[in-house]
């Protein structure tokens, strides 16, 4: 059996068992491709532009259309959320590029545990500031899932 199938099998086993191999610190020659990846993602986001938030029609209407109002409101919320997510992604990319320029030796190092972030993780999420373990712990500690929903009693 050649080495490539063995490595592929090991990768599948590691993914199935959620095992992380120790990450090595990012080398200076690896920063160039990472910078290129960040700049490509930034360009794609900028090229896409903002999603237009459509407001109600400018026509003079004596009675508002009660059937169309919820649809208009929903499309406004969706467009607004997409624009906010796009702005946050651009800010994260700019922050990663700034960290890479300011302190190249610290790029790819977890802010919580000071261990190197796995290269596979950085290729998937080049703006990551935490390793997978610290990210998981942070998400569990700050789990707001299900708590963001408002109840009628919140409006009293």
């Amino acid at each position: 059996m050649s080495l490539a199938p063995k490595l592929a099998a090991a990768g599948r086993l590691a993914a199935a068992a959620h095992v992380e191999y120790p990450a090595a610190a990012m080398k200076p020659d690896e920063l160039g491709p990472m910078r290129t990846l960040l700049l490509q993602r930034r360009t794609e986001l900028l090229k896409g532009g903002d999603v237009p938030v459509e407001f109600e029609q400018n026509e003079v209407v004596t009675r508002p259309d009660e059937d169309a109002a919820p649809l208009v409101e929903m499309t406004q919320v969706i467009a607004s959320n997409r624009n906010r997510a796009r702005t946050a992604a651009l800010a994260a990319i700019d922050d990663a590029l700034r960290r890479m320029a300011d302190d190249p030796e610290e790029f790819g190092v977890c802010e919580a545990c000071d261990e190197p972030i796995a290269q596979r993780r950085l290729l998937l999420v080049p703006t990551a500031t935490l390793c997978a373990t610290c990210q998981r712990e942070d998400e569990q500690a700050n789990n707001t899932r299900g708590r963001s929903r408002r109840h009628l009693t919140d409006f009293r």
Side-chain angles (χ1 to χ4, degrees), residues 4-5 9 25 35-38 43 47 56 75 79 101-102 110 118-119 125 146:
R35 181 178 289 110
T36 303
L37 177 65
L38 285 165
T43 302
K47 191 166 72 173
E56 292 184 34
T75 55
D102 291 347
C110 178
Q119 183 140 7
V125 187

Side-chain angles (χ1 to χ4, degrees), residues 36-54:
T36 303
L37 177 65
L38 285 165
L39 289 172
Q40 284 174 346
R41 291 191 180 181
R42 187 176 190 282
T43 302
E44 290 171 8
L45 285 171
L46 288 173
K47 191 166 72 173
D50 282 337
V51 177
V53 179
E54 296 181 19

Side-chain angles (χ1 to χ4, degrees), residues 1-14:
M1 185 177 222
S2 72
L3 185 60
K6 287 181 182 178
L7 288 175
R12 285 192 301 273
L13 287 174

Side-chain angles (χ1 to χ4, degrees), residues 50-69:
D50 282 337
V51 177
V53 179
E54 296 181 19
F55 296 99
E56 292 184 34
Q57 298 175 355
N58 293 333
E59 299 173 13
V60 177
V61 179
T62 56
R63 269 188 5 193
D65 185 2
E66 293 176 10
D67 293 334

